[in-house]
Amino acid sequence: MLDATSVQQHAKQASFSPVKTALILIGLGLFLIAPMFVYPIFLMKLLTFAMFACAFNLLLGYTGLLSFGHAAFFGGAAYFTGYAVKEWGITPELGLIVGMAGAAVLGLVIGFFAIRRQGIYFAMITLALSQMFYFFCLQAPFTRGEDGLQGVPRGFLFGLLDLNVQLNMYYTVLAIFILAVFVIWRFINSPFGMILKSIRENEQRAISLGYNVQMYKLGAFVMSATLAGLAGGLKALVFQFATLTDVTWQMSGEVILMTLLGGIGTMTGPIFGAGLVVTLQNYLATSDIPVTIITGVVFMACVLVFRRGLVGEFYASRLGRMLGFEHRK
């Protein structure tokens, strides 16, 4: 357990080793040249869901709170952004801010009630409130019900960059994704993030040290909801529609699956998990075997063989420790 002094010390120790820096630069380089070899729409879908999974991992992996209702923030922001851009005629960056603000308000409301409980009760409250929001979206006029909000214009970023050009849209999504991941990294390596980890490990000890645990949980919940909203707003701009699929409980289950496959409590785990799930969905869509069955088999195999997730097991391996990666025990 960390006290106030050690929290400050651990926060100052957050840095990149040469190996980590090299791997990050290689990853960025691959993403920069990827549109030359892979369909940009697929890459943008992967990045938006990877951002969604990273936002969810901020809550589960670093705070220890399992939410079954994150689809409300992802899908809600998709609706808010799509409606603002289409009906109000505002620029896409302002539309994304509207979506994030809406997701933050939803996170504040849902989190206010959910954090009063722990464990499965917390998860069930988030699920129940998320389903209430789903039925609101089903009935609300601005969402267009089962038809969804279609024909969302991408517009011009800052009034200058035409996002209808695929490469412009892709590199915009990539830049926002990098910024979001950096924000999450900075957040979890700040004193606030260190306190969240201490709450995850031993909440009663954190209370005994004088921390207002409820406020820290709520802050993490709202932060996670806001970043999930950013991913949802981007998804609406990329595909130019928002539908009820974005707010269903299945979407919440999907992001949980992505995070567990990659490895909870790791920065890159959710990215790899999202990449695996999105790739399976994309390239096996025409298969005779339903994608959900294949995904389920992959998930069972990972649970049995890779208990910490794919990236988590690599971090815990001898090679991972030699390269300086940390892992949760």
Side-chain angles (χ1 to χ4, degrees):
M1 175 59 63
L2 302 173
D3 56 21
T5 302
S6 59
V7 165
Q8 297 287 347
Q9 293 174 344
H10 280 276
K12 293 179 181 178
Q13 292 173 355
S15 61
F16 291 122
S17 67
V19 173
K20 292 180 181 179
T21 302
L23 291 176
I24 290 172
L25 292 176
I26 291 172
L28 289 177
L30 291 175
F31 273 118
L32 287 173
I33 64 174
M36 302 178 186
F37 307 98
V38 184
Y39 191 42
I41 291 290
F42 166 74
L43 292 172
M44 287 187 278
K45 180 180 180 181
L46 189 155
L47 288 173
T48 54
F49 277 93
M51 190 189 309
F52 184 24
C54 287
F56 176 78
N57 184 53
L58 175 62
L59 192 64
L60 175 61
Y62 295 99
T63 315
L65 299 175
L66 175 59
S67 168
F68 282 163
H70 256 52
F73 316 128
F74 180 79
Y79 277 120
F80 300 148
T81 297
Y83 185 84
V85 171
K86 182 178 180 180
E87 300 299 332
W88 297 349
I90 63 177
T91 54
E93 68 276 7
L94 292 179
L96 289 174
I97 292 175
V98 170
M100 292 172 65
V105 172
L106 281 174
L108 183 62
V109 174
I110 294 177
F112 176 79
F113 293 102
I115 62 170
R116 299 172 184 274
R117 295 293 181 266
Q118 297 178 342
I120 190 63
Y121 303 105
F122 172 89
M124 289 298 101
I125 290 174
T126 58
L127 176 61
L129 294 176
S130 175
Q131 284 300 101
M132 289 176 62
F133 183 73
Y134 165 80
F135 286 110
F136 167 78
C137 292
L138 181 63
Q139 300 294 332
F142 79 95
T143 64
R144 307 292 192 273
E146 294 182 352
D147 294 331
L149 191 63
Q150 303 181 25
V152 176
R154 291 180 177 177
F156 289 77
L157 187 67
F158 300 111
L160 301 172
L161 188 65
D162 186 4
L163 296 184
N164 292 299
V165 178
Q166 291 284 49
L167 285 181
N168 290 346
M169 187 71 214
Y170 170 75
Y171 287 114
T172 298
V173 172
L174 178 60
I176 295 175
F177 169 76
I178 294 171
L179 178 61
V181 171
F182 173 77
V183 168
I184 293 173
W185 174 83
R186 189 67 189 88
F187 186 77
I188 63 178
N189 287 288
S190 68
F192 190 97
M194 293 298 170
I195 295 171
L196 292 181
K197 294 176 186 177
S198 69
I199 293 172
R200 175 194 67 193
E201 298 300 330
N202 193 327
E203 183 174 333
Q204 294 303 316
R205 180 73 183 279
I207 293 173
S208 69
L209 290 174
Y211 294 117
N212 189 338
V213 169
Q214 300 298 326
M215 292 302 297
Y216 280 101
K217 283 184 178 181
L218 184 59
F221 197 95
V222 173
M223 181 70 174
S224 178
T226 303
L227 290 171
L230 176 59
L234 275 177
K235 188 259 183 188
L237 291 177
V238 168
F239 293 98
Q240 299 185 276
F241 62 80
T243 67
L244 290 173
T245 303
D246 299 328
V247 292
T248 58
W249 64 267
Q250 289 93 336
M251 182 63 72
S252 295
E254 201 167 289
V255 74
I256 295 173
L257 175 64
M258 293 174 182
T259 307
L260 292 178
L261 285 177
I264 63 173
T266 63
M267 279 297 301
T268 55
I271 300 174
F272 279 91
L276 177 60
V277 173
V278 171
T279 301
L280 288 174
Q281 291 175 343
N282 187 74
Y283 289 100
L284 298 178
T286 57
S287 172
D288 294 332
I289 304 176
V291 178
T292 51
I293 294 179
I294 299 176
T295 304
V297 171
V298 171
F299 177 64
M300 288 195 324
C302 287
V303 168
L304 294 174
V305 181
F306 306 102
R307 299 296 298 273
R308 300 181 181 91
L310 298 174
V311 174
E313 286 294 338
F314 171 72
Y315 283 5
S317 67
R318 180 177 299 179
L319 177 60
R321 293 194 299 271
M322 288 176 58
L323 294 177
F325 289 104
E326 298 178 355
H327 68 282
R328 288 183 59 187
K329 295 181 180 180

